[in-house]
Amino acid sequence: MASPARLARLTPKSVDFDKWYIELVRQAELADYAPVKGCMVIRPYGYALWEHIQAALDGMIKATGHENMYFPLLIPESYLAKEAEHVEGFAPEVAWVTQGGSKDLEERLAIRPTSETIICSMYADWIHSYRDLPVLINQWVNVYRWEKRTRLFLRTSEFLWQEGHTFHETEKEATEEVERMLDCYTTLARDWLALPVVPGTKTRSETFAGAVYTRSIEAMMSDGWALQAGTSHNLGQHFTRAYNITFRNRENAEEHPFQTSWGVSTRIIGAVIMAHGDDNGLILPPKVAPVQVAVVPIPAGGDEEMNSRIEEIAKRFEEASGPTCRIRVDRRDGIRPGEKFAHWELRGVPLRITLGKRDVEAGVVTITRRVDGTTETMGIDACIAALPELLEDAHTRLQARALALLEARSCDVTTLDELSEAFVKEPVFANAPFCNRPACEDRIKEQVHAVTVRVLRDDRKGDGAPCIACQAPSDHIALIARAY
Ligand SMILES: [Zn+2]
């Protein structure tokens, strides 16, 4: 029997988290480096994962009244330059097209780093009256931001995302829209990806270039670092003024509409990997896992009658597969069962069902859960009927584990010394009263290597407690962490 090379073992997370991450992304065949630095190839397994995340979010985007459309990849330099803060924020990372064939272009063209500028330029012609509002659109595209240091999924120059863009009659409507979409992202993280997140508002230094304010959700990775998993920006009238978008309001006066934008990118795949994975591989949230159930028949040597009974059961599982229960039977030849188990474990498949001789004789199958390795046996019919429930239970267990980690690795601190102490042993989510002044934010950053204020939390307020840095009464509780 041909014996394929054994899977290389992953570097344990506890030894080198970064190495573990990159090895896992490549060995599980999610993605790989491309010839151009900063670009990645998303392989079929990684792309299927993205498609499931995309389908879930696209459903929510449409259910909240938005429509998809498409704007071009190239943006004329003059379009990009109109909103000063925005262009300053993005200038260092814009990639330019300067030639068409061998001919120099009269005007440089930016490869979109984001699309506010082109969208505003077009909508300036399309919005005239309050009757044209609200505009509620979204696009699923790639964007390009020249990055110096890159990591697969987490930080790549080219990445995939959705960018939502909306225009409204009133400030109130825009504010509500910003919250509505942040709520969608929280739901995506919690209910689909089993990621508990902390929603909040960014400080000035972390606000999107050109926005009035930025809202974000922060997830904890299993090494205690934070990852920004989605952002929703209130753009006010900054861009609509700069791009001269006006409408006749209900009083027949001319006014600039209020605008929002919001996005989730392929970075969120990095969050799923780092939040849930272990030393044996990925642990995928069942609702977005490309394969939810791996069925591994174990051939009973030359016992042909037994082999055909096993195959019969395998077929019954296959027939139970559908859009909401994705089942794969592993019939690969010449690979030992142990290697098949490792294969599906590495790929994070939530449930494994083993069909062995002894089980079949007893009329049962063995179910193994990826999240905690627990197993149980069940009658064949009962198991097929219980699959949706078993998958739901796998989600609940994964989410409970992530939540327990978030709770265990969160702490409250009131002084800069306490902040330092909190990070001595391992990275944490530290919560501290904070006045939200840039000088105090700088002092926090200087206190502990690589920490930043991630967000001003929504769920907790400062209530006048002394700011961690300056002791002035503070309105906010800042979430302070190291971040990807
Ligand atoms: Zn302060």
Side-chain angles (χ1 to χ4, degrees), residues 433-437 439-441 444 466-474:
F434 176 55
C435 69
N436 197 22
R437 281 198 292 252
C440 288
E441 192 176 353
I444 290 168
C467 166
I468 182 170
C470 72
Q471 278 77 52
S474 57

Side-chain angles (χ1 to χ4, degrees), residues 57 138 161-164 181 185 229-233 261-265:
L57 184 53
N138 175 67
W161 76 348
Q162 59 71 215
E163 46 178 319
M181 299 327 289
Y185 293 163
T231 50
S232 183
H233 315 291
S261 69
W262 27 274
V264 158
S265 74

Side-chain angles (χ1 to χ4, degrees), residues 133-136 166-170 173-174 177 247 257-260:
L133 298 172
V135 169
L136 306 170
T166 67
F167 298 92
H168 305 267
E169 262 184 273
T170 64
E173 276 179 42
E177 169 75 4
F247 71 99
F258 295 85
Q259 191 186 0
T260 81

Side-chain angles (χ1 to χ4, degrees), residues 48 68 159 214 258 270 310 329 347 349 484:
N68 285 336
F159 57 87
T214 289
F258 295 85
I310 291 171
V329 177
R347 281 159 184 75
V349 173
Y484 283 102

Side-chain angles (χ1 to χ4, degrees), residues 326-346:
R326 301 181 282 275
I327 303 172
R328 178 86 56 88
V329 177
D330 188 350
R331 294 192 180 86
R332 289 176 300 158
D333 246 354
I335 299 175
R336 291 195 304 274
E339 288 178 46
K340 290 187 178 179
F341 296 168
H343 175 93
W344 297 110
E345 206 166 46
L346 178 67

